[in-house]
Amino acid sequence: MEKAKRPPRGTRKRDVPLTEAGIYAAALQLIDADGVEALTMRKLATVLDANPMSLYHHVPNKDALLRGVARMVGAQFRTVTLEDSPWQERIRLLATDFRTLAHRHPKLMAYSFGQPDFIQSEDPFWAALTATLDSAGVPHAEVPQIAAVMCAVVIGVLTAELNGALHQWSNLTPPAPAARENRPPDTDAGPDGDRMFRLVLDTIITGLESRLTADRDGQRAGQ
Amino acid sequence: MEKAKRPPRGTRKRDVPLTEAGIYAAALQLIDADGVEALTMRKLATVLDANPMSLYHHVPNKDALLRGVARMVGAQFRTVTLEDSPWQERIRLLATDFRTLAHRHPKLMAYSFGQPDFIQSEDPFWAALTATLDSAGVPHAEVPQIAAVMCAVVIGVLTAELNGALHQWSNLTPPAPAARENRPPDTDAGPDGDRMFRLVLDTIITGLESRLTADRDGQRAGQ
DNA sequence: ACCTGAACACCGTTCAAGT
DNA sequence: ACCTGAACACCGTTCAAGT
């Protein structure tokens, strides 16, 4: 009978002590599978084969847990700096990297996008974005505002893509009352999403370009 | 002692029977005050001076309650059609009307913006937007997609404005470690929000214009 | 230091019973 | 028809106690 506690085969996750990182990793799995709103301290403990209260020895509370998971995933987002390309190219790369990350963990990112502290001063992403706008010739004083609205725009489009709104709205105009209802969220990873994301990107880059040349024309008439 | 039930003065809300509309109105008050996440069937019942379970006779569940409140508020959003203005002006009006609504019930709208069914085919807003794009000369087949991304962009910026992200990000670049932390969400109703919203609006309208003239030039070289 | 069981103060919702 | 109390199946979290 010796011990007799361990179930037959690998059904037991934890022969290993609890870790902050381990908790985050397990939480991320649950979130990827069922979404942030389905994550529960108690479910998470079950998955980790631990007592729910044990988690509180490694994480202060559920909110900190979510922030921790978000920070962990965000850290994967090291963008290639691509120092010697034109600013348009660099912005495009930043945005598509962002989108790639969003597609890798859609449920988590749909939540993270709603948190104002999702972007921090220290983020290499923010540094890269502001540096790029700077090198594009955006007046220093305006760089943070322009960067902020660009983030808001990109996050808005990604959110709408992730929760299916973009897809749903695109198929709206025909009354289509008998169309199949409540189709699954339909991550919209297809070519539609790609096209529409590029459309937005092109538009804001074009808009920025024309704004910059207008500024220059205003200052020294030409060039 | 006759009756002896009624408290001294107007502290009692309900001498009147429960109504679906009354429930929505009370729920909206609670949401405006404390946000959607703080709304509880039990708190709502208390405010209405009713038993929590009584609500379920007028509303199937909490989800339907929230949708009902959102629909009720969205119905206020009757946009002036402004039939004889240039499409740029009409789009601008649609967007600023949208923003006005968002500022009137920020907590509710921050929630509603996340719901993919927030915009429906029957909405006069959607009809006005698609009609405007149509009159601007957007190819019929592209109208829904363009309308969808425009909604996503505007909602993205409004969401970031409402939850304070726009404001926070704008003040990011200086490391500013000792700055006051956790200032209140700071609805960002000030001139900052106005400016940044107009900036986005100008940019997408400019982008759309250049896209349209490019299409025309491609088709018939000129005009 | 790390873990745990019991308990507290909440939720949304079901159901059988009251008027 | 409308309302209600009790109860169920959950939450996050505190706390005192175990090793």
Side-chain angles (χ1 to χ4, degrees):
Chain A
M1 276 272 186
E2 19 91 57
K3 293 285 186 171
K5 217 41 171 322
R6 203 177 306 265
R9 200 155 258 283
T11 67
R12 206 143 187 279
K13 287 283 170 53
R14 188 159 73 93
D15 314 288
V16 121
L18 286 177
T19 332
E20 199 183 330
I23 292 175
Y24 290 158
L28 180 57
Q29 277 195 43
L30 286 186
I31 290 169
D32 281 344
D34 300 322
V36 170
E37 62 291 338
L39 177 67
T40 275
M41 297 301 274
R42 291 165 131 107
K43 276 192 222 164
L44 180 56
T46 306
V47 161
L48 287 164
D49 192 29
N51 182 290
M53 295 312 112
S54 304
L55 304 181
Y56 285 88
H57 265 268
H58 303 90
V59 151
N61 53 43
K62 190 180 178 179
D63 211 68
L65 169 70
L66 288 177
R67 278 205 309 276
V69 176
R71 195 170 37 70
M72 178 191 168
V73 170
Q76 295 175 6
F77 182 32
R78 310 239 149 269
T79 199
V80 202
T81 346
L82 200 58
E83 191 62 59
D84 48 352
S85 301
W87 63 267
Q88 292 91 335
E89 212 62 38
R90 293 206 271 161
I91 293 225
R92 233 176 273 271
L93 182 66
L94 278 172
T96 53
D97 275 4
F98 209 59
R99 183 162 179 259
T100 303
L101 180 66
H103 279 332
R104 192 140 50 210
H105 300 287
K107 308 259 182 53
L108 175 67
M109 296 313 276
Y111 162 82
S112 290
F113 286 161
Q115 309 285 48
D117 62 341
F118 169 61
I119 295 175
Q120 313 255 8
S121 303
E122 310 83 26
D123 282 341
F125 166 74
W126 183 257
L129 177 57
T130 50
T132 303
L133 291 176
D134 205 68
S135 77
V138 174
H140 282 71
E142 293 183 21
V143 165
Q145 280 101 321
I146 305 266
V149 292
M150 292 188 75
C151 287
V153 165
V154 168
I155 284 176
V157 175
L158 286 178
T159 301
E161 185 186 351
L162 291 181
N163 70 13
L166 214 51
H167 183 81
Q168 210 162 302
W169 297 341
S170 299
N171 300 353
L172 217 58
T173 317
R180 46 208 177 297
E181 302 192 5
N182 281 2
R183 77 186 91 190
D186 195 0
T187 311
D188 206 339
D192 277 339
D194 283 11
R195 262 216 318 121
M196 294 167 93
F197 191 74
R198 270 204 308 275
L199 195 157
V200 172
L201 224 47
D202 290 348
T203 304
I204 62 181
I205 287 177
T206 304
L208 196 50
E209 279 172 343
S210 81
R211 186 182 170 78
L212 288 170
T213 62
D215 280 4
R216 264 196 294 270
D217 288 359
Q219 268 188 329
R220 46 186 73 186
Q223 211 272 337
Chain B
M1 275 274 183
E2 18 90 58
K3 291 286 187 172
K5 214 49 170 314
R6 203 178 305 265
R9 201 155 258 284
T11 68
R12 206 144 187 278
K13 289 283 169 54
R14 188 159 73 91
D15 312 288
V16 121
L18 287 176
T19 332
E20 199 184 330
I23 291 175
Y24 290 158
L28 180 57
Q29 277 195 44
L30 287 186
I31 291 171
D32 281 343
D34 300 322
V36 172
E37 63 290 337
L39 177 66
T40 276
M41 297 302 274
R42 290 165 132 108
K43 275 192 222 163
L44 179 56
T46 305
V47 161
L48 286 164
D49 191 30
N51 182 290
M53 295 313 111
S54 303
L55 305 180
Y56 286 89
H57 265 268
H58 304 91
V59 150
N61 54 43
K62 190 181 180 179
D63 211 67
L65 170 69
L66 289 176
R67 278 205 311 276
V69 176
R71 193 169 39 69
M72 178 191 168
V73 170
Q76 295 176 6
F77 182 32
R78 310 239 148 268
T79 197
V80 202
T81 348
L82 201 57
E83 191 63 59
D84 48 352
S85 302
W87 63 267
Q88 292 92 335
E89 213 63 36
R90 292 206 272 162
I91 293 225
R92 232 176 275 271
L93 182 64
L94 278 172
T96 52
D97 275 3
F98 208 58
R99 182 162 178 259
T100 302
L101 180 65
H103 279 320
R104 192 140 47 211
H105 301 288
K107 307 260 181 54
L108 174 68
M109 296 313 276
Y111 162 83
S112 289
F113 286 161
Q115 309 285 48
D117 62 341
F118 169 62
I119 295 174
Q120 313 255 7
S121 305
E122 308 85 28
D123 282 340
F125 166 75
W126 183 257
L129 177 57
T130 50
T132 302
L133 291 176
D134 204 68
S135 78
V138 174
H140 282 71
E142 293 183 20
V143 165
Q145 279 100 324
I146 305 266
V149 292
M150 291 188 75
C151 287
V153 165
V154 168
I155 285 176
V157 175
L158 286 179
T159 302
E161 185 186 350
L162 291 182
N163 69 14
L166 214 51
H167 183 81
Q168 210 162 303
W169 297 340
S170 299
N171 301 353
L172 216 58
T173 318
R180 45 207 177 298
E181 303 193 4
N182 281 4
R183 81 185 87 189
D186 196 1
T187 311
D188 205 339
D192 277 338
D194 282 10
R195 262 215 319 119
M196 293 167 93
F197 191 74
R198 269 204 308 275
L199 195 157
V200 171
L201 224 47
D202 290 348
T203 305
I204 62 181
I205 287 177
T206 305
L208 195 51
E209 278 172 344
S210 81
R211 185 183 171 77
L212 288 170
T213 62
D215 280 5
R216 265 196 292 271
D217 289 358
Q219 269 188 327
R220 46 186 72 184
Q223 209 275 338

